[in-house]
Amino acid sequence: AQSVTQLDSHVSVSEGTPVLLRCNYSSSYSPSLFWYVQHPNKGLQLLLKYTSAATLVKGINGFEAEFKKSETSFHLTKPSAHMSDAAEYFCVSRSYGKLTFGQGTILTVHP
Amino acid sequence: KAGVTQTPRYLIKTRGQQVTLSCSPISGHRSVSWYQQTPGQGLQFLFEYFSETQRNKGNFPGRFSGRQFSNSRSEMNVSTLELGDSALYLCASSPRLGLETQYFGPGTRLLVL
């Protein structure tokens, strides 16, 4: 069975500082991995996806993630946080047609 | 191109009632999936439909059911509502089955009293 663990339920950063949201996955083989963002009262928006091509994946809004098989990790990063990045972020694994979601990380950005 | 639309956006029901939620996928998308989001359980996969057939199913009781029409629009039904069914129900579509990228609608927020 696959599982996704987001290591931080809350992350707080100052505007202009780097963002790191951590995700570890568990699967019998390399799954497809995604990061989605959810703004309040909105649906989920795809930030980026990894599907066994390049291990460093660039997404929208300056986000990127690196797939590390040896560490079973897929951490999301952004060099400089913006106020509009404040939202909840979900790391997601897809295997055998089913999506498995992490518990989410709420990102707060302080001015 | 219009995104995924869900109706209604908000719904209040009482225990024991049933509810039907609707999802219209992005034009040309044939796969529709449903998810339940609650503060306690997070996001959980309900089921996926493609070509009017359920292709994948999550671990939910039989009170949760769905269907897909020939125009790819989908409905999900919850019978004999329980307080714990209060949640945000999200629908997502993708062009075909198994395609990784899914596009989500804004959700229907259901409150069961």
Side-chain angles (χ1 to χ4, degrees):
Chain A
Q2 57 178 333
S3 67
V4 176
T5 303
Q6 292 182 239
L7 300 172
D8 307 291
S9 58
H10 290 83
V11 170
S12 181
V13 301
S14 297
E15 190 174 23
T17 63
V19 175
L20 170 63
L21 306 183
R22 299 181 294 166
C23 171
N24 284 90
Y25 70 93
S26 167
S27 177
S28 57
Y29 65 97
S30 294
S32 297
L33 295 166
F34 309 82
W35 276 98
Y36 281 86
V37 61
Q38 186 177 33
H39 290 274
N41 300 312
K42 297 288 181 67
L44 277 73
Q45 180 185 17
L46 178 69
L47 280 176
L48 49 81
K49 64 179 180 180
Y50 166 77
T51 54
S52 73
T55 56
L56 183 62
V57 182
K58 292 189 184 298
I60 62 171
N61 300 335
F63 285 95
E64 62 182 38
E66 185 172 8
F67 174 75
K68 292 186 176 180
K69 186 174 182 179
S70 61
E71 299 176 8
T72 61
S73 69
F74 190 58
H75 301 336
L76 181 71
T77 60
K78 182 174 180 177
S80 176
H82 191 274
M83 295 296 290
S84 61
D85 295 328
E88 188 164 16
Y89 292 78
F90 292 92
C91 181
V92 184
S93 166
R94 184 174 177 113
S95 178
Y96 292 111
K98 295 184 181 181
L99 290 188
T100 301
F101 291 81
Q103 285 299 309
T105 298
I106 295 174
L107 175 65
T108 302
V109 182
H110 298 287
Chain B
K1 187 182 276 191
V4 177
T5 58
Q6 294 185 243
T7 57
R9 292 293 312 279
Y10 303 92
L11 205 49
I12 300 176
K13 293 286 188 179
T14 56
R15 279 182 299 173
Q17 287 186 310
Q18 74 166 20
V19 67
T20 299
L21 311 181
S22 180
C23 172
S24 292
I26 292 171
S27 178
H29 285 196
R30 297 174 60 196
S31 174
V32 174
S33 299
W34 288 90
Y35 301 87
Q36 181 195 64
Q37 185 177 25
T38 60
Q41 298 298 317
L43 273 156
Q44 295 181 286
F45 170 74
L46 279 157
F47 26 66
E48 180 176 25
Y49 285 87
F50 180 80
S51 292
E52 302 175 62
T53 303
Q54 187 180 93
R55 303 300 180 125
N56 287 296
K57 189 177 187 301
N59 298 321
F60 279 81
R63 300 186 297 106
F64 291 81
S65 63
R67 59 178 175 169
Q68 186 181 35
F69 302 94
S70 58
N71 61 358
S72 295
R73 190 177 69 85
S74 177
E75 290 180 347
M76 68 163 281
N77 183 278
V78 187
S79 62
T80 319
L81 284 166
E82 300 177 358
L83 296 180
D85 297 333
S86 295
L88 179 66
Y89 290 89
L90 292 167
C91 167
S93 76
S94 62
R96 52 187 183 273
L97 190 68
L99 192 66
E100 295 85 359
T101 304
Q102 295 191 339
Y103 298 87
F104 284 79
T108 293
R109 187 164 296 281
L110 171 64
L111 176 62
V112 181
L113 302 175

